[in-house]
């Protein structure tokens, strides 16, 4: 029993000492490597990319025109900044760790984008260019088909078109001019009106051979093509079939409103135009965007007396940085001449 008491007391002492040590030195969540927040040097990333591609310090050093020891120091500095080792060193080669593979993917993509941007900047030094922002449908249907004429007359001027539905702040970009679609109160005071807008029913001529459209009531047997988001934006509601029907096919309160056999919806005006050109249905189109197709017979206006005025118009907005450059002035002069042709084709008089 004496031996049992002695052993029990010894166990209790060791247990108390262990508890004391645990209490005195509690576990923490401190990472094995200190967290760094400063940006990584680009030179170190370039070196890392070379080593990751070749998996050899000597070959990477030759590519970068550095000594092998300089490459090694830069990799060590990078690992000190990022954390755990990115390479496993062997006698004559290295291998990427799993963390190194992750970093290599990002570094390669970043350096490719950086090199592309620098290459473009160098190529454009000393060249005359005009940068334009407009929305995709207008670029596709109206602007791009006409650009060949400008390029033929001005072969030394580069053109860059940024086609986006987002309105770009020209004061903080290198954009020279914007082509916009808006009401008069939604554009700057110095904006130049290119042309206004009317809406009209259009269809493919061969569709009308099999499905004649002589009166408004005939539309009940047709497919109506419309913008799918027209009712989500206030100003686009002017482009809807509903507004056209309310104007040209009013019904008494006890009568059913005019409606199509089926609907076909698209997001963009150039998609609506393409659908109409291929005979998929009747579209309520914007006259400036279909004037050329009507002139060359690709589309027909079966109900010409039912055009509908729109409060929206097309505008040229010139950025401050472009007003003094001859190539921008030349492009604007050409653009205004093209706008005059569109007004003539649609029968519009300059406001």
């Amino acid at each position: 029993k004496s031996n049992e008491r002695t052993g029990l007391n010894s166990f209790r002492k060791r247990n108390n000492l262990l508890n004391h040590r645990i209490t005195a030195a509690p576990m923490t969540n401190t990472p094995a490597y200190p967290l760094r927040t400063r940006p990584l040097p680009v030179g170190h990333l370039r070196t890392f990319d070379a080593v990751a591609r070749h998996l050899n310090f000597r070959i990477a050093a030759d590519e970068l025109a550095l000594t092998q020891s300089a490459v090694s120091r830069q990799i060590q500095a990078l690992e000190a900044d990022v954390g755990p080792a990115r390479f496993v060193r062997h006698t004559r080669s290295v291998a990427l760790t799993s963390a190194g593979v992750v970093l290599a993917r990002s570094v390669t993509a970043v350096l490719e984008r950086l090199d592309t941007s620098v290459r473009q900047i160098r190529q454009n030094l000393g060249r005359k260019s005009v940068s334009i922002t407009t929305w995709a449908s207008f670029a596709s249907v109206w602007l791009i088909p006409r650009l060949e004429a400008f390029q033929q007359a001005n072969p030394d001027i580069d053109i860059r078109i940024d086609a986006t539905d987002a309105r770009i702040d020209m004061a903080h970009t290198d954009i020279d001019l914007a082509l916009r679609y808006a009401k008069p109160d939604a554009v700057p005071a110095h904006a130049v009106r290119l042309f206004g807008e009317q809406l009209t029913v259009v269809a493919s001529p061969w569709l009308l051979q099999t499905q004649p459209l002589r009166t408004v009531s005939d539309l009940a047997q047709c497919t109506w093509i419309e913008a799918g988001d027209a009712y989500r934006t206030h100003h686009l509601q002017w482009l809807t079939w509903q507004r056209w029907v309310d104007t040209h096919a009013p019904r008494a309160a006890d009568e059913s409103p005019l409606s199509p056999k089926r609907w076909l919806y698209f997001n963009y005006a150039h998609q609506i135009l393409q659908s109409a050109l291929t005979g998929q249905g009747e579209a309520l189109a914007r006259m400036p965007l279909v004037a050329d197709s009507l002139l060359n017979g690709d589309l027909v206006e079966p109900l010409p007396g039912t055009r509908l005025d729109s409060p929206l118009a097309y505008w040229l907005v010139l950025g401050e940085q472009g007003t003094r450059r001859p190539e921008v002035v030349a492009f604007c002069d050409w653009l205004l001449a093209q706008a005059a042709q569109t007004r003539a084709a649609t029968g519009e008089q300059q406001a």
Side-chain angles (χ1 to χ4, degrees):
K1 291 182 178 179
S2 176
N3 291 337
E4 289 177 357
R5 292 194 189 95
T6 302
L8 182 59
N9 290 335
S10 177
F11 172 78
R12 288 172 176 170
K13 289 179 180 180
R14 287 197 302 271
N15 191 48
N16 289 336
L17 180 60
L18 180 61
N19 288 337
H20 173 73
R21 287 176 178 171
I22 293 174
T23 303
M27 298 293 290
T28 67
N29 291 324
T30 303
Y33 296 88
L35 297 177
R36 304 296 180 91
T37 58
R38 66 184 180 187
L40 297 177
V42 175
H44 293 178
L45 295 180
R46 184 77 69 180
T47 301
F48 171 81
D49 176 68
V51 177
R53 283 186 286 106
H54 297 296
L55 296 178
N56 186 291
F57 276 61
R58 181 184 58 79
I59 298 176
D62 291 342
E63 178 183 303
L64 299 170
L66 297 173
T67 64
Q68 189 170 334
S69 60
V71 170
S72 180
R73 286 194 299 271
Q74 289 192 22
I75 294 299
Q76 290 173 359
L78 179 66
E79 291 175 336
D81 272 336
V82 176
R86 265 41 185 170
F87 296 99
V88 177
R89 276 76 167 174
H90 302 297
T91 304
R92 288 190 172 88
S93 64
V94 295
L96 285 167
T97 64
S98 58
V101 171
V102 172
L103 182 62
R105 290 172 181 166
S106 297
V107 169
T108 299
V110 168
L111 292 178
E112 286 178 352
R113 291 180 60 186
L114 177 62
D115 291 342
T116 298
S117 297
V118 171
R119 186 164 52 251
Q120 289 176 345
I121 292 172
R122 288 172 175 170
Q123 289 174 349
N124 291 334
L125 287 176
R127 295 183 64 88
K128 293 187 290 185
S129 65
V130 180
S131 298
I132 306 143
T133 179
T134 189
W135 70 105
S137 289
F138 189 72
S140 299
V141 176
W142 192 89
L143 180 58
I144 293 176
R146 289 168 167 78
L147 271 182
E148 178 63 21
F150 179 83
Q151 292 175 319
Q152 290 288 342
N154 302 273
D156 59 333
I157 299 178
D158 297 334
I159 301 295
R160 178 165 65 88
I161 299 176
D162 184 357
T164 174
D165 290 336
R167 180 162 294 192
I168 295 177
D169 184 358
M170 298 173 64
H172 299 93
T173 67
D174 61 350
I175 296 294
D176 296 312
L177 59 95
L179 301 175
R180 291 181 175 164
Y181 177 62
K183 292 182 179 180
D185 59 359
V187 295
H190 65 277
V192 178
R193 186 179 184 275
L194 297 176
F195 36 78
E197 180 174 79
Q198 285 185 315
L199 305 174
T200 190
V201 178
V202 297
S204 166
W206 61 267
L207 174 64
L208 295 177
Q209 291 177 4
T210 58
Q211 189 181 79
L213 180 55
R214 298 184 179 90
T215 66
V216 171
S217 60
D218 291 337
L219 282 167
Q221 304 303 316
C222 300
T223 296
W224 294 2
I225 308 170
E226 187 172 78
D229 58 350
Y231 294 94
R232 301 177 195 170
T233 307
H234 178 67
H235 77 273
L236 290 182
Q237 292 185 18
W238 290 93
L239 311 178
T240 62
W241 274 100
Q242 182 61 56
R243 180 170 171 269
W244 185 92
V245 168
D246 289 343
T247 302
H248 294 293
R251 299 292 177 93
D254 58 346
E255 290 183 301
S256 299
L258 181 66
S259 61
K261 185 177 180 179
R262 58 179 169 268
W263 288 95
L264 189 56
Y265 295 103
F266 293 98
N267 288 338
Y268 297 102
H270 67 273
Q271 295 171 339
I272 293 174
L273 176 57
Q274 186 62 34
S275 179
L277 285 168
T278 54
Q280 298 178 36
E282 280 71 14
L284 188 60
R286 311 175 195 185
M287 276 297 298
L289 302 187
V290 297
D292 292 339
S293 296
L294 291 173
L295 285 175
N296 61 33
D298 290 336
L299 287 175
V300 175
E301 189 179 9
L303 302 171
T306 61
R307 291 186 184 182
L308 194 63
D309 290 330
S310 165
L312 298 161
Y314 300 74
W315 306 85
L316 165 62
V317 182
L318 191 60
E320 293 182 4
Q321 68 275 14
T323 56
R324 295 180 295 274
R325 290 175 28 226
E327 59 268 28
V328 177
V329 174
F331 187 84
C332 290
D333 289 343
W334 170 83
L335 195 68
L336 293 175
Q338 295 297 312
Q341 294 179 16
T342 297
R343 291 194 302 273
T346 60
E348 177 188 347
Q349 299 297 321
Q350 175 67 26

